Amino acid sequence: MVGRVGKPHGLDGSFVVEQASEDERWFAVGARLLVGADRAEVVAARRAGGRPVIRLDRQAPRGTALEVERAELPETGEDEYYAFELVGLEVVEEGGRVLGAVAAVEPGVANDVLALDSGIALPMVDDCVCSVDLAARRILVAPGFAEPD
């Protein structure tokens, strides 16, 4: 997700992009976005109060996610992942204890946090996350970051 349709801005169908990506290319005139299940094109773009304001070639209900195709995202480097790639991965502690599956990756003050479906929250820091295996759909974490059973 690169943002959400926010409150209207003006009378021409423009809106403020909420939860906007820092990557400005997604909000430039000509950019193609997925709006729900539909494709849309940005036909007007500006900034207001430091936030992107765009108009699409079609109407979009407030709150609708603005997304891009996976193929349009820049390649990640080694040991880099997009947050959406981690959602659903099983999280296992060294020693084999299954802690749950990633429900969300939440931004934190010092680091992002893996929010698991079991209610456990794990910091995304090197001391905690030992390895991420997207192919095996598994994250291995160090012991001591989750309460014992």
Side-chain angles (χ1 to χ4, degrees):
M1 183 175 78
V2 296
R4 288 198 178 280
V5 176
K7 66 182 180 178
H9 194 274
L11 300 175
D12 67 351
S14 294
F15 58 87
V16 174
V17 178
E18 296 176 347
Q19 301 171 351
S21 166
E22 293 177 14
D23 191 339
E24 291 293 319
R25 80 176 118 182
W26 309 126
F27 312 119
V29 172
R32 298 187 187 281
L33 300 171
L34 295 173
V35 183
D38 299 322
R39 295 185 191 282
E41 184 175 332
V42 177
V43 295
R46 61 186 183 279
R47 293 192 73 76
R51 300 184 305 174
V53 174
I54 64 173
R55 182 167 42 93
L56 302 173
D57 63 354
R58 67 192 73 241
Q59 294 289 340
R62 188 171 183 178
T64 303
L66 302 172
E67 301 175 309
V68 294
E69 296 278 352
R70 171 65 173 104
E72 299 211 20
L73 294 172
E75 289 297 318
T76 55
E78 189 173 330
D79 293 331
E80 291 182 336
Y81 312 94
Y82 287 108
F84 73 85
E85 293 178 302
L86 303 179
V87 174
L89 270 57
E90 179 181 56
V91 179
V92 179
E93 196 173 59
E94 286 179 328
R97 180 169 71 128
V98 176
L99 301 178
V102 178
V105 178
E106 299 173 349
V109 176
N111 52 265
D112 289 345
V113 174
L114 294 173
L116 307 187
D117 60 1
S118 60
I120 296 171
L122 299 170
M124 288 197 61
V125 296
D126 289 340
D127 287 346
C128 178
V129 178
C130 301
S131 66
V132 175
D133 187 338
L134 293 177
R137 304 212 29 86
R138 185 176 147 188
I139 298 173
L140 182 66
V141 297
F145 287 91
E147 292 291 321
D149 287 334

